[in-house]
DNA sequence: TAAATAAAAATGAACGTCCGTTTTTTATCA
DNA sequence: TGATAAAAAACGGACGTTCATTTTTATTTA
C-alpha cells in the first residue's frame, strides 16, 4: 500500500481524537482505555499506534487542536469588540463567553484533566500574562479611554477587562459543569446584566456613566 | 483479637484517607491504585477492605470529611463578617478565600475529579442555591443596608455578594492550580484591592461610597 | 489492459504488568 | 479458646504496548 495522503491521515486522526476526547472527558484520562478509543473510532487497537506513539500523545494532540480552535474563537470575539469598556460590549463579551462554554465545555474538562493528571502542563500558558495580552490587544482603546477620562482614577483598564472576562467564564462554567443551576438566583440573561452592571459601575467614571445611562437599553440599568 | 475502639478505627481511617487523597489529587481517581493507597497508609492491601467496601467509598469518605471541614471554615469566615457589603469586609472575605484556597487546594482538586469522573455528583450541592443561602445568612444586614439605601438601585445584595465571593475564589484558584502566576498583573494584595474596589464601586450607592471614602485606608482608594 | 510487485496500513493475538476485589491464612489478645 | 484484625495469596479481568501477520492499493511490468 502506498503512503496515505496527508489529508487521509488527518481525517483518520480527527476520528480517533473525537472518540478519545469523548472518553477522556466522560471518565478521565486513565479510565479511558486504548481499546475503547479504538472501538469508538472504528480502528483496530494496533493501528492506533501507527498514528500516535502513546496514549498521552493522543491527549496532547487533542489539546493542541482544541487550543487552536478556542484561540481562534477568542480572537474573533475580541475582534468584534471595538470598545472593550463600553458596558454593551462587556455584556456581549459575557454572552459570547457563555456560548463558548456551552458549545465547548469539553475544552475545560480537558483542562481539569490536565490540572489533575499533568499539573496543568499543557494549559498553563493560557493564563500566563493574560492581562498583558489584553493590554496589547486593546492598547489603542485603553489609551483613548484613559485620555477621555472614562475610567475611575487608579483603575487599570486591562486588569478590569481581565477580571470581567474571568468572571463571565467562571459564571458559565459553574452553571454548565458544576451543577450551579441558576446559582446567582437569576437566569443567564439577568446574570449577564447584573455582572455587566457591576463592572460598569465599578470601573467607569461618573461622567462616562452618565453618558452611557442616556443611551442605555432599559434592561441594563 | 478484640474489637478495635471506634477511636482506633477512626484514626486508621484518617491515615488511609490521607494517603488516598494525596494519590487522588496528584494522579486522579482511576490512576491511583489500591496497592499504592495501602502502601502509603502502611496497611496491607486486603486490610483496606476491612475499612471500606470499595475504592469509591474511600473517595466518598474523603469528600464528606472535607466538605465538613470546608463548611465549618466558611461558616467561621461568614461569622467574622458583620457587615458583608462594607468594602473592608469584602476585602477580608477575599483574603480568607485566598487562605482557604492555598491551604486546602486539595478540596478543589477533588472537586475536579468529581466533575470529570462522577459528573460532580458529590459536590453539586455546594453551588445549588448558593445565592439564597447567602441571602439567609446575611438577611438582617442586607435588609438594613437596603433600608439605609447603601446600594445602587436595582442591585440585589445577595447576588452581588455571591458574585464577589465567586470572583475571589476563582482568582486564587487560577493562581494556585492553573498556573496563573500573577495573571492579573498584580500581586495578591493588589489584586484583592482591585477586585474589592470594583465590587464596592459597582454596587454601593454614591452616598455610601462617600461615607466609606472618608474612613477608608489609603491602599483601597 | 491485466497481472505482478512492494511498500504501507491494518489487524488482533500475545506480552508482561497491574487492576479492584475476594478468599484464605496467620497473628493477636480478651 | 474464640472472636477479630491483619496479612498474604489468589482471582479474573483489563491495561498500554508490541509484533508477526494479513490486507490493501498505487505503481511497475508484461
Amino acid at each position: 500500500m502506498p503512503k496515505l495522503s496527508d489529508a487521509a491521515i488527518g481525517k483518520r486522526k480527527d476520528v480517533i481524537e473525537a472518540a478519545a476526547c469523548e472518553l477522556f472527558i466522560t471518565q478521565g484520562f486513565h479510565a479511558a482505555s486504548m481499546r475503547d478509543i479504538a472501538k469508538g473510532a472504528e480502528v483496530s487497537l494496533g493501528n492506533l499506534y501507527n498514528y500516535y506513539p502513546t496514549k498521552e500523545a493522543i491527549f496532547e494532540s487533542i489539546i493542541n487542536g482544541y487550543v487552536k480552535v478556542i484561540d481562534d474563537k477568542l480572537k474573533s470575539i475580541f475582534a468584534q469588540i471595538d470598545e472593550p469598556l463600553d458596558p454593551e460590549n462587556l455584556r456581549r463579551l459575557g454572552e459570547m463567553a457563555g456560548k463558548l462554554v456551552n458549545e465547548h465545555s469539553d475544552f475545560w474538562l480537558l483542562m481539569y484533566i490536565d490540572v489533575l493528571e499533568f499539573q496543568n502542563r499543557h494549559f498553563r500558558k493560557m493564563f500566563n500574562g493574560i492581562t498583558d495580552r489584553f493590554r496589547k490587544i486593546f492598547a489603542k482603546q485603553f489609551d483613548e479611554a484613559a485620555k477621555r477620562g472614562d475610567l475611575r482614577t487608579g483603575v487599570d483598564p486591562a486588569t478590569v477587562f481581565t477580571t470581567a472576562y474571568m468572571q463571565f467564564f467562571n459564571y458559565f462554567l459553574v452553571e454548565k459543569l458544576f451543577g450551579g443551576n441558576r446559582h446567582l438566583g437569576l437566569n443567564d440573561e439577568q446574570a449577564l446584566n447584573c455582572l455587566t452592571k457591576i463592572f460598569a459601575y465599578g470601573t467607569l467614571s461618573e461622567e462616562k456613566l452618565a453618558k452611557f445611562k442616556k443611551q442605555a437599553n432599559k434592561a441594563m440599568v
Side-chain angles (χ1 to χ4, degrees), chain A residues 132-154:
Chain A
D132 284 333
R133 260 178 288 147
F134 283 132
R135 203 189 306 283
K136 268 190 191 167
I137 293 174
F138 297 116
K140 207 182 60 180
Q141 292 97 322
F142 288 162
D143 215 45
E144 286 170 3
K147 270 185 196 157
R148 279 198 306 268
D150 283 359
L151 287 162
R152 294 183 183 281
T153 47

mmCIF file with all atom_site columns, all heavy atoms in Angstrom, chain A residues 132-154:
data_model
loop_
_atom_site.group_PDB
_atom_site.id
_atom_site.type_symbol
_atom_site.label_atom_id
_atom_site.label_alt_id
_atom_site.label_comp_id
_atom_site.label_asym_id
_atom_site.label_entity_id
_atom_site.label_seq_id
_atom_site.pdbx_PDB_ins_code
_atom_site.Cartn_x
_atom_site.Cartn_y
_atom_site.Cartn_z
_atom_site.occupancy
_atom_site.B_iso_or_equiv
_atom_site.pdbx_formal_charge
_atom_site.auth_seq_id
_atom_site.auth_comp_id
_atom_site.auth_asym_id
_atom_site.auth_atom_id
_atom_site.pdbx_PDB_model_num
ATOM 1   N N   . ASP A 1 132 ? -1.627  41.165 30.394 1.00 0.00 ? 132 ASP A N   1
ATOM 2   C CA  . ASP A 1 132 ? -0.772  41.900 29.455 1.00 0.00 ? 132 ASP A CA  1
ATOM 3   C C   . ASP A 1 132 ? -1.180  41.643 28.010 1.00 0.00 ? 132 ASP A C   1
ATOM 4   O O   . ASP A 1 132 ? -1.049  42.520 27.148 1.00 0.00 ? 132 ASP A O   1
ATOM 5   C CB  . ASP A 1 132 ? 0.695   41.509 29.675 1.00 0.00 ? 132 ASP A CB  1
ATOM 6   C CG  . ASP A 1 132 ? 1.269   42.161 30.918 1.00 0.00 ? 132 ASP A CG  1
ATOM 7   O OD1 . ASP A 1 132 ? 0.761   43.246 31.284 1.00 0.00 ? 132 ASP A OD1 1
ATOM 8   O OD2 . ASP A 1 132 ? 2.202   41.609 31.520 1.00 0.00 ? 132 ASP A OD2 1
ATOM 9   N N   . ARG A 1 133 ? -1.676  40.451 27.754 1.00 0.00 ? 133 ARG A N   1
ATOM 10  C CA  . ARG A 1 133 ? -2.144  40.180 26.395 1.00 0.00 ? 133 ARG A CA  1
ATOM 11  C C   . ARG A 1 133 ? -3.333  41.077 26.049 1.00 0.00 ? 133 ARG A C   1
ATOM 12  O O   . ARG A 1 133 ? -3.410  41.625 24.955 1.00 0.00 ? 133 ARG A O   1
ATOM 13  C CB  . ARG A 1 133 ? -2.503  38.692 26.260 1.00 0.00 ? 133 ARG A CB  1
ATOM 14  C CG  . ARG A 1 133 ? -1.377  37.906 25.567 1.00 0.00 ? 133 ARG A CG  1
ATOM 15  C CD  . ARG A 1 133 ? -1.719  36.445 25.470 1.00 0.00 ? 133 ARG A CD  1
ATOM 16  N NE  . ARG A 1 133 ? -1.635  35.806 26.784 1.00 0.00 ? 133 ARG A NE  1
ATOM 17  C CZ  . ARG A 1 133 ? -2.403  34.794 27.185 1.00 0.00 ? 133 ARG A CZ  1
ATOM 18  N NH1 . ARG A 1 133 ? -3.347  34.331 26.371 1.00 0.00 ? 133 ARG A NH1 1
ATOM 19  N NH2 . ARG A 1 133 ? -2.249  34.277 28.388 1.00 0.00 ? 133 ARG A NH2 1
ATOM 20  N N   . PHE A 1 134 ? -4.238  41.208 27.021 1.00 0.00 ? 134 PHE A N   1
ATOM 21  C CA  . PHE A 1 134 ? -5.377  42.105 26.769 1.00 0.00 ? 134 PHE A CA  1
ATOM 22  C C   . PHE A 1 134 ? -4.900  43.548 26.612 1.00 0.00 ? 134 PHE A C   1
ATOM 23  O O   . PHE A 1 134 ? -5.434  44.302 25.810 1.00 0.00 ? 134 PHE A O   1
ATOM 24  C CB  . PHE A 1 134 ? -6.403  42.009 27.899 1.00 0.00 ? 134 PHE A CB  1
ATOM 25  C CG  . PHE A 1 134 ? -7.247  40.773 27.833 1.00 0.00 ? 134 PHE A CG  1
ATOM 26  C CD1 . PHE A 1 134 ? -7.453  39.980 28.951 1.00 0.00 ? 134 PHE A CD1 1
ATOM 27  C CD2 . PHE A 1 134 ? -7.845  40.397 26.635 1.00 0.00 ? 134 PHE A CD2 1
ATOM 28  C CE1 . PHE A 1 134 ? -8.236  38.834 28.880 1.00 0.00 ? 134 PHE A CE1 1
ATOM 29  C CE2 . PHE A 1 134 ? -8.631  39.243 26.554 1.00 0.00 ? 134 PHE A CE2 1
ATOM 30  C CZ  . PHE A 1 134 ? -8.816  38.469 27.680 1.00 0.00 ? 134 PHE A CZ  1
ATOM 31  N N   . ARG A 1 135 ? -3.889  43.882 27.383 1.00 0.00 ? 135 ARG A N   1
ATOM 32  C CA  . ARG A 1 135 ? -3.372  45.244 27.306 1.00 0.00 ? 135 ARG A CA  1
ATOM 33  C C   . ARG A 1 135 ? -2.873  45.537 25.893 1.00 0.00 ? 135 ARG A C   1
ATOM 34  O O   . ARG A 1 135 ? -3.031  46.643 25.372 1.00 0.00 ? 135 ARG A O   1
ATOM 35  C CB  . ARG A 1 135 ? -2.234  45.426 28.321 1.00 0.00 ? 135 ARG A CB  1
ATOM 36  C CG  . ARG A 1 135 ? -1.994  46.885 28.722 1.00 0.00 ? 135 ARG A CG  1
ATOM 37  C CD  . ARG A 1 135 ? -0.729  47.043 29.550 1.00 0.00 ? 135 ARG A CD  1
ATOM 38  N NE  . ARG A 1 135 ? -0.686  46.180 30.714 1.00 0.00 ? 135 ARG A NE  1
ATOM 39  C CZ  . ARG A 1 135 ? -1.368  46.409 31.843 1.00 0.00 ? 135 ARG A CZ  1
ATOM 40  N NH1 . ARG A 1 135 ? -2.137  47.473 31.935 1.00 0.00 ? 135 ARG A NH1 1
ATOM 41  N NH2 . ARG A 1 135 ? -1.270  45.577 32.863 1.00 0.00 ? 135 ARG A NH2 1
ATOM 42  N N   . LYS A 1 136 ? -2.276  44.505 25.292 1.00 0.00 ? 136 LYS A N   1
ATOM 43  C CA  . LYS A 1 136 ? -1.772  44.693 23.925 1.00 0.00 ? 136 LYS A CA  1
ATOM 44  C C   . LYS A 1 136 ? -2.903  44.743 22.914 1.00 0.00 ? 136 LYS A C   1
ATOM 45  O O   . LYS A 1 136 ? -2.955  45.600 22.044 1.00 0.00 ? 136 LYS A O   1
ATOM 46  C CB  . LYS A 1 136 ? -0.826  43.525 23.569 1.00 0.00 ? 136 LYS A CB  1
ATOM 47  C CG  . LYS A 1 136 ? 0.628   43.814 23.875 1.00 0.00 ? 136 LYS A CG  1
ATOM 48  C CD  . LYS A 1 136 ? 1.529   42.734 23.287 1.00 0.00 ? 136 LYS A CD  1
ATOM 49  C CE  . LYS A 1 136 ? 2.949   42.891 23.821 1.00 0.00 ? 136 LYS A CE  1
ATOM 50  N NZ  . LYS A 1 136 ? 3.789   41.721 23.535 1.00 0.00 ? 136 LYS A NZ  1
ATOM 51  N N   . ILE A 1 137 ? -3.819  43.766 23.054 1.00 0.00 ? 137 ILE A N   1
ATOM 52  C CA  . ILE A 1 137 ? -4.910  43.670 22.076 1.00 0.00 ? 137 ILE A CA  1
ATOM 53  C C   . ILE A 1 137 ? -5.697  44.977 22.001 1.00 0.00 ? 137 ILE A C   1
ATOM 54  O O   . ILE A 1 137 ? -6.049  45.442 20.928 1.00 0.00 ? 137 ILE A O   1
ATOM 55  C CB  . ILE A 1 137 ? -5.862  42.508 22.460 1.00 0.00 ? 137 ILE A CB  1
ATOM 56  C CG1 . ILE A 1 137 ? -5.139  41.173 22.321 1.00 0.00 ? 137 ILE A CG1 1
ATOM 57  C CG2 . ILE A 1 137 ? -7.113  42.531 21.580 1.00 0.00 ? 137 ILE A CG2 1
ATOM 58  C CD1 . ILE A 1 137 ? -5.959  39.988 22.820 1.00 0.00 ? 137 ILE A CD1 1
ATOM 59  N N   . PHE A 1 138 ? -5.971  45.532 23.176 1.00 0.00 ? 138 PHE A N   1
ATOM 60  C CA  . PHE A 1 138 ? -6.810  46.732 23.214 1.00 0.00 ? 138 PHE A CA  1
ATOM 61  C C   . PHE A 1 138 ? -6.006  47.992 23.561 1.00 0.00 ? 138 PHE A C   1
ATOM 62  O O   . PHE A 1 138 ? -6.561  48.938 24.127 1.00 0.00 ? 138 PHE A O   1
ATOM 63  C CB  . PHE A 1 138 ? -7.954  46.539 24.217 1.00 0.00 ? 138 PHE A CB  1
ATOM 64  C CG  . PHE A 1 138 ? -8.892  45.422 23.854 1.00 0.00 ? 138 PHE A CG  1
ATOM 65  C CD1 . PHE A 1 138 ? -9.005  44.299 24.665 1.00 0.00 ? 138 PHE A CD1 1
ATOM 66  C CD2 . PHE A 1 138 ? -9.649  45.487 22.694 1.00 0.00 ? 138 PHE A CD2 1
ATOM 67  C CE1 . PHE A 1 138 ? -9.871  43.272 24.330 1.00 0.00 ? 138 PHE A CE1 1
ATOM 68  C CE2 . PHE A 1 138 ? -10.511 44.452 22.350 1.00 0.00 ? 138 PHE A CE2 1
ATOM 69  C CZ  . PHE A 1 138 ? -10.623 43.339 23.169 1.00 0.00 ? 138 PHE A CZ  1
ATOM 70  N N   . ALA A 1 139 ? -4.738  47.971 23.222 1.00 0.00 ? 139 ALA A N   1
ATOM 71  C CA  . ALA A 1 139 ? -3.852  49.078 23.601 1.00 0.00 ? 139 ALA A CA  1
ATOM 72  C C   . ALA A 1 139 ? -4.458  50.428 23.208 1.00 0.00 ? 139 ALA A C   1
ATOM 73  O O   . ALA A 1 139 ? -4.549  51.348 24.026 1.00 0.00 ? 139 ALA A O   1
ATOM 74  C CB  . ALA A 1 139 ? -2.484  48.893 22.955 1.00 0.00 ? 139 ALA A CB  1
ATOM 75  N N   . LYS A 1 140 ? -4.883  50.514 21.954 1.00 0.00 ? 140 LYS A N   1
ATOM 76  C CA  . LYS A 1 140 ? -5.402  51.777 21.445 1.00 0.00 ? 140 LYS A CA  1
ATOM 77  C C   . LYS A 1 140 ? -6.628  52.231 22.232 1.00 0.00 ? 140 LYS A C   1
ATOM 78  O O   . LYS A 1 140 ? -6.695  53.355 22.733 1.00 0.00 ? 140 LYS A O   1
ATOM 79  C CB  . LYS A 1 140 ? -5.754  51.622 19.959 1.00 0.00 ? 140 LYS A CB  1
ATOM 80  C CG  . LYS A 1 140 ? -5.673  52.919 19.174 1.00 0.00 ? 140 LYS A CG  1
ATOM 81  C CD  . LYS A 1 140 ? -6.072  52.700 17.709 1.00 0.00 ? 140 LYS A CD  1
ATOM 82  C CE  . LYS A 1 140 ? -7.482  52.171 17.587 1.00 0.00 ? 140 LYS A CE  1
ATOM 83  N NZ  . LYS A 1 140 ? -7.931  51.947 16.190 1.00 0.00 ? 140 LYS A NZ  1
ATOM 84  N N   . GLN A 1 141 ? -7.581  51.302 22.371 1.00 0.00 ? 141 GLN A N   1
ATOM 85  C CA  . GLN A 1 141 ? -8.823  51.668 23.047 1.00 0.00 ? 141 GLN A CA  1
ATOM 86  C C   . GLN A 1 141 ? -8.587  52.051 24.507 1.00 0.00 ? 141 GLN A C   1
ATOM 87  O O   . GLN A 1 141 ? -9.180  53.018 25.011 1.00 0.00 ? 141 GLN A O   1
ATOM 88  C CB  . GLN A 1 141 ? -9.831  50.513 22.987 1.00 0.00 ? 141 GLN A CB  1
ATOM 89  C CG  . GLN A 1 141 ? -10.355 50.232 21.594 1.00 0.00 ? 141 GLN A CG  1
ATOM 90  C CD  . GLN A 1 141 ? -9.605  49.093 20.934 1.00 0.00 ? 141 GLN A CD  1
ATOM 91  O OE1 . GLN A 1 141 ? -8.384  48.973 21.098 1.00 0.00 ? 141 GLN A OE1 1
ATOM 92  N NE2 . GLN A 1 141 ? -10.310 48.267 20.182 1.00 0.00 ? 141 GLN A NE2 1
ATOM 93  N N   . PHE A 1 142 ? -7.729  51.293 25.184 1.00 0.00 ? 142 PHE A N   1
ATOM 94  C CA  . PHE A 1 142 ? -7.455  51.593 26.590 1.00 0.00 ? 142 PHE A CA  1
ATOM 95  C C   . PHE A 1 142 ? -6.816  52.972 26.718 1.00 0.00 ? 142 PHE A C   1
ATOM 96  O O   . PHE A 1 142 ? -7.129  53.737 27.630 1.00 0.00 ? 142 PHE A O   1
ATOM 97  C CB  . PHE A 1 142 ? -6.544  50.519 27.203 1.00 0.00 ? 142 PHE A CB  1
ATOM 98  C CG  . PHE A 1 142 ? -7.227  49.197 27.424 1.00 0.00 ? 142 PHE A CG  1
ATOM 99  C CD1 . PHE A 1 142 ? -6.493  48.032 27.605 1.00 0.00 ? 142 PHE A CD1 1
ATOM 100 C CD2 . PHE A 1 142 ? -8.616  49.103 27.456 1.00 0.00 ? 142 PHE A CD2 1
ATOM 101 C CE1 . PHE A 1 142 ? -7.116  46.811 27.818 1.00 0.00 ? 142 PHE A CE1 1
ATOM 102 C CE2 . PHE A 1 142 ? -9.256  47.886 27.660 1.00 0.00 ? 142 PHE A CE2 1
ATOM 103 C CZ  . PHE A 1 142 ? -8.501  46.733 27.838 1.00 0.00 ? 142 PHE A CZ  1
ATOM 104 N N   . ASP A 1 143 ? -5.920  53.237 25.804 1.00 0.00 ? 143 ASP A N   1
ATOM 105 C CA  . ASP A 1 143 ? -5.214  54.510 25.818 1.00 0.00 ? 143 ASP A CA  1
ATOM 106 C C   . ASP A 1 143 ? -6.189  55.667 25.643 1.00 0.00 ? 143 ASP A C   1
ATOM 107 O O   . ASP A 1 143 ? -6.172  56.648 26.408 1.00 0.00 ? 143 ASP A O   1
ATOM 108 C CB  . ASP A 1 143 ? -4.192  54.499 24.672 1.00 0.00 ? 143 ASP A CB  1
ATOM 109 C CG  . ASP A 1 143 ? -2.941  55.254 25.058 1.00 0.00 ? 143 ASP A CG  1
ATOM 110 O OD1 . ASP A 1 143 ? -2.457  55.031 26.195 1.00 0.00 ? 143 ASP A OD1 1
ATOM 111 O OD2 . ASP A 1 143 ? -2.460  56.058 24.240 1.00 0.00 ? 143 ASP A OD2 1
ATOM 112 N N   . GLU A 1 144 ? -7.057  55.517 24.645 1.00 0.00 ? 144 GLU A N   1
ATOM 113 C CA  . GLU A 1 144 ? -8.003  56.595 24.374 1.00 0.00 ? 144 GLU A CA  1
ATOM 114 C C   . GLU A 1 144 ? -9.005  56.768 25.507 1.00 0.00 ? 144 GLU A C   1
ATOM 115 O O   . GLU A 1 144 ? -9.361  57.894 25.871 1.00 0.00 ? 144 GLU A O   1
ATOM 116 C CB  . GLU A 1 144 ? -8.737  56.319 23.056 1.00 0.00 ? 144 GLU A CB  1
ATOM 117 C CG  . GLU A 1 144 ? -7.843  56.559 21.839 1.00 0.00 ? 144 GLU A CG  1
ATOM 118 C CD  . GLU A 1 144 ? -8.483  56.069 20.556 1.00 0.00 ? 144 GLU A CD  1
ATOM 119 O OE1 . GLU A 1 144 ? -9.638  55.594 20.611 1.00 0.00 ? 144 GLU A OE1 1
ATOM 120 O OE2 . GLU A 1 144 ? -7.821  56.141 19.508 1.00 0.00 ? 144 GLU A OE2 1
ATOM 121 N N   . ALA A 1 145 ? -9.430  55.622 26.071 1.00 0.00 ? 145 ALA A N   1
ATOM 122 C CA  . ALA A 1 145 ? -10.371 55.695 27.190 1.00 0.00 ? 145 ALA A CA  1
ATOM 123 C C   . ALA A 1 145 ? -9.746  56.447 28.353 1.00 0.00 ? 145 ALA A C   1
ATOM 124 O O   . ALA A 1 145 ? -10.395 57.272 29.009 1.00 0.00 ? 145 ALA A O   1
ATOM 125 C CB  . ALA A 1 145 ? -10.795 54.300 27.619 1.00 0.00 ? 145 ALA A CB  1
ATOM 126 N N   . ALA A 1 146 ? -8.475  56.165 28.592 1.00 0.00 ? 146 ALA A N   1
ATOM 127 C CA  . ALA A 1 146 ? -7.777  56.848 29.688 1.00 0.00 ? 146 ALA A CA  1
ATOM 128 C C   . ALA A 1 146 ? -7.706  58.340 29.409 1.00 0.00 ? 146 ALA A C   1
ATOM 129 O O   . ALA A 1 146 ? -7.959  59.165 30.295 1.00 0.00 ? 146 ALA A O   1
ATOM 130 C CB  . ALA A 1 146 ? -6.378  56.260 29.859 1.00 0.00 ? 146 ALA A CB  1
ATOM 131 N N   . LYS A 1 147 ? -7.383  58.691 28.168 1.00 0.00 ? 147 LYS A N   1
ATOM 132 C CA  . LYS A 1 147 ? -7.288  60.101 27.800 1.00 0.00 ? 147 LYS A CA  1
ATOM 133 C C   . LYS A 1 147 ? -8.620  60.807 27.974 1.00 0.00 ? 147 LYS A C   1
ATOM 134 O O   . LYS A 1 147 ? -8.694  61.943 28.422 1.00 0.00 ? 147 LYS A O   1
ATOM 135 C CB  . LYS A 1 147 ? -6.833  60.219 26.339 1.00 0.00 ? 147 LYS A CB  1
ATOM 136 C CG  . LYS A 1 147 ? -5.313  60.284 26.196 1.00 0.00 ? 147 LYS A CG  1
ATOM 137 C CD  . LYS A 1 147 ? -4.926  60.521 24.735 1.00 0.00 ? 147 LYS A CD  1
ATOM 138 C CE  . LYS A 1 147 ? -3.452  60.190 24.512 1.00 0.00 ? 147 LYS A CE  1
ATOM 139 N NZ  . LYS A 1 147 ? -3.170  59.886 23.110 1.00 0.00 ? 147 LYS A NZ  1
ATOM 140 N N   . ARG A 1 148 ? -9.674  60.116 27.578 1.00 0.00 ? 148 ARG A N   1
ATOM 141 C CA  . ARG A 1 148 ? -11.006 60.711 27.684 1.00 0.00 ? 148 ARG A CA  1
ATOM 142 C C   . ARG A 1 148 ? -11.473 60.798 29.126 1.00 0.00 ? 148 ARG A C   1
ATOM 143 O O   . ARG A 1 148 ? -12.456 61.435 29.441 1.00 0.00 ? 148 ARG A O   1
ATOM 144 C CB  . ARG A 1 148 ? -12.020 59.864 26.900 1.00 0.00 ? 148 ARG A CB  1
ATOM 145 C CG  . ARG A 1 148 ? -12.050 60.094 25.402 1.00 0.00 ? 148 ARG A CG  1
ATOM 146 C CD  . ARG A 1 148 ? -13.355 59.553 24.823 1.00 0.00 ? 148 ARG A CD  1
ATOM 147 N NE  . ARG A 1 148 ? -13.575 58.154 25.182 1.00 0.00 ? 148 ARG A NE  1
ATOM 148 C CZ  . ARG A 1 148 ? -13.188 57.114 24.447 1.00 0.00 ? 148 ARG A CZ  1
ATOM 149 N NH1 . ARG A 1 148 ? -12.533 57.305 23.319 1.00 0.00 ? 148 ARG A NH1 1
ATOM 150 N NH2 . ARG A 1 148 ? -13.425 55.886 24.836 1.00 0.00 ? 148 ARG A NH2 1
ATOM 151 N N   . GLY A 1 149 ? -10.769 60.055 29.998 1.00 0.00 ? 149 GLY A N   1
ATOM 152 C CA  . GLY A 1 149 ? -11.192 60.039 31.403 1.00 0.00 ? 149 GLY A CA  1
ATOM 153 C C   . GLY A 1 149 ? -12.419 59.178 31.624 1.00 0.00 ? 149 GLY A C   1
ATOM 154 O O   . GLY A 1 149 ? -13.255 59.465 32.470 1.00 0.00 ? 149 GLY A O   1
ATOM 155 N N   . ASP A 1 150 ? -12.507 58.096 30.867 1.00 0.00 ? 150 ASP A N   1
ATOM 156 C CA  . ASP A 1 150 ? -13.654 57.198 31.015 1.00 0.00 ? 150 ASP A CA  1
ATOM 157 C C   . ASP A 1 150 ? -13.606 56.399 32.311 1.00 0.00 ? 150 ASP A C   1
ATOM 158 O O   . ASP A 1 150 ? -14.626 55.921 32.798 1.00 0.00 ? 150 ASP A O   1
ATOM 159 C CB  . ASP A 1 150 ? -13.695 56.215 29.842 1.00 0.00 ? 150 ASP A CB  1
ATOM 160 C CG  . ASP A 1 150 ? -14.230 56.876 28.575 1.00 0.00 ? 150 ASP A CG  1
ATOM 161 O OD1 . ASP A 1 150 ? -14.569 58.071 28.650 1.00 0.00 ? 150 ASP A OD1 1
ATOM 162 O OD2 . ASP A 1 150 ? -14.294 56.198 27.544 1.00 0.00 ? 150 ASP A OD2 1
ATOM 163 N N   . LEU A 1 151 ? -12.404 56.240 32.826 1.00 0.00 ? 151 LEU A N   1
ATOM 164 C CA  . LEU A 1 151 ? -12.236 55.329 33.958 1.00 0.00 ? 151 LEU A CA  1
ATOM 165 C C   . LEU A 1 151 ? -12.108 56.068 35.281 1.00 0.00 ? 151 LEU A C   1
ATOM 166 O O   . LEU A 1 151 ? -11.645 57.206 35.333 1.00 0.00 ? 151 LEU A O   1
ATOM 167 C CB  . LEU A 1 151 ? -10.988 54.483 33.743 1.00 0.00 ? 151 LEU A CB  1
ATOM 168 C CG  . LEU A 1 151 ? -11.129 53.408 32.673 1.00 0.00 ? 151 LEU A CG  1
ATOM 169 C CD1 . LEU A 1 151 ? -9.761  52.934 32.215 1.00 0.00 ? 151 LEU A CD1 1
ATOM 170 C CD2 . LEU A 1 151 ? -11.915 52.231 33.233 1.00 0.00 ? 151 LEU A CD2 1
ATOM 171 N N   . ARG A 1 152 ? -12.525 55.392 36.334 1.00 0.00 ? 152 ARG A N   1
ATOM 172 C CA  . ARG A 1 152 ? -12.286 55.915 37.675 1.00 0.00 ? 152 ARG A CA  1
ATOM 173 C C   . ARG A 1 152 ? -10.776 56.027 37.883 1.00 0.00 ? 152 ARG A C   1
ATOM 174 O O   . ARG A 1 152 ? -10.007 55.269 37.306 1.00 0.00 ? 152 ARG A O   1
ATOM 175 C CB  . ARG A 1 152 ? -12.849 54.958 38.723 1.00 0.00 ? 152 ARG A CB  1
ATOM 176 C CG  . ARG A 1 152 ? -14.352 54.835 38.691 1.00 0.00 ? 152 ARG A CG  1
ATOM 177 C CD  . ARG A 1 152 ? -14.811 53.918 39.820 1.00 0.00 ? 152 ARG A CD  1
ATOM 178 N NE  . ARG A 1 152 ? -16.246 53.727 39.760 1.00 0.00 ? 152 ARG A NE  1
ATOM 179 C CZ  . ARG A 1 152 ? -17.124 54.615 40.208 1.00 0.00 ? 152 ARG A CZ  1
ATOM 180 N NH1 . ARG A 1 152 ? -16.709 55.746 40.753 1.00 0.00 ? 152 ARG A NH1 1
ATOM 181 N NH2 . ARG A 1 152 ? -18.418 54.370 40.118 1.00 0.00 ? 152 ARG A NH2 1
ATOM 182 N N   . THR A 1 153 ? -10.382 56.916 38.735 1.00 0.00 ? 153 THR A N   1
ATOM 183 C CA  . THR A 1 153 ? -8.944  57.089 38.974 1.00 0.00 ? 153 THR A CA  1
ATOM 184 C C   . THR A 1 153 ? -8.364  55.832 39.612 1.00 0.00 ? 153 THR A C   1
ATOM 185 O O   . THR A 1 153 ? -8.985  55.202 40.465 1.00 0.00 ? 153 THR A O   1
ATOM 186 C CB  . THR A 1 153 ? -8.698  58.279 39.921 1.00 0.00 ? 153 THR A CB  1
ATOM 187 O OG1 . THR A 1 153 ? -9.599  58.164 41.023 1.00 0.00 ? 153 THR A OG1 1
ATOM 188 C CG2 . THR A 1 153 ? -8.910  59.583 39.197 1.00 0.00 ? 153 THR A CG2 1
ATOM 189 N N   . GLY A 1 154 ? -7.173  55.489 39.149 1.00 0.00 ? 154 GLY A N   1
ATOM 190 C CA  . GLY A 1 154 ? -6.472  54.347 39.743 1.00 0.00 ? 154 GLY A CA  1
ATOM 191 C C   . GLY A 1 154 ? -6.920  53.006 39.215 1.00 0.00 ? 154 GLY A C   1
ATOM 192 O O   . GLY A 1 154 ? -6.426  51.970 39.647 1.00 0.00 ? 154 GLY A O   1
#
